[in-house]
Amino acid sequence: MANSYKFLGVTLSTQTETSILTAGTKDTIIIKSIKVTNNTGNTPTISFDVLDSSNSVEATILNTQSLTANSSVEILTMPLVLESSDILKATVSTNDNVNIGISYLNIT
């Protein structure tokens, strides 16, 4: 088993649900931090879901968190685990640019 600490930066600028991070078929991902930054003067909302591939259920992790203009917010208060083939997804309410920074441990 190998452990790799990683960072993923993503910019969302569409209102479509977007796959952000997918665990490999033999991987486990432990997400330590999800920081969302709104670099605009608007106040969009963001939602996060996880597709649990082992039972084909999409679970809501965060529903419509308001993002204050020109600010950042930490989404997690405890680690989030993605098992084999699970997918972290995000949806933003407007076409504004919202930046997401994810710090995680990938176990292969």
Side-chain angles (χ1 to χ4, degrees), residues 3 7 23 38 45 56 59 67 74-75 83 89 97 105 108:
N3 295 339
F7 176 82
N38 175 16
T45 62
S56 300
L67 302 173
E74 173 60 44
I75 300 302
E83 298 173 315
K89 300 178 178 185
N97 284 339
L105 172 63
T108 55

Side-chain angles (χ1 to χ4, degrees), residues 15-27:
Q15 295 178 41
T16 305
E17 183 177 58
T18 303
S19 295
I20 302 294
L21 182 62
T22 302
T25 57
K26 296 181 180 181
D27 296 350

Side-chain angles (χ1 to χ4, degrees), residues 32-108:
K32 175 67 176 156
S33 172
I34 301 175
K35 182 158 261 190
V36 179
T37 302
N38 175 16
N39 290 323
T40 72
N42 298 325
T43 54
T45 62
I46 193 162
S47 299
F48 284 92
D49 299 293
V50 171
L51 175 60
D52 181 352
S53 66
S54 64
N55 62 12
S56 300
V57 171
E58 189 164 292
T60 300
I61 302 304
L62 178 72
N63 192 24
T64 61
Q65 167 75 46
S66 183
L67 302 173
T68 305
N70 300 306
S71 67
S72 297
V73 62
E74 173 60 44
I75 300 302
L76 296 180
T77 57
M78 58 187 352
L80 174 65
V81 176
L82 299 181
E83 298 173 315
S84 173
S85 302
D86 288 353
I87 303 170
L88 176 66
K89 300 178 178 185
T91 308
V92 66
S93 65
T94 66
N95 290 336
D96 293 323
N97 284 339
V98 173
N99 295 311
I100 302 170
I102 302 172
S103 296
Y104 64 99
L105 172 63
N106 191 38
I107 303 168
T108 55

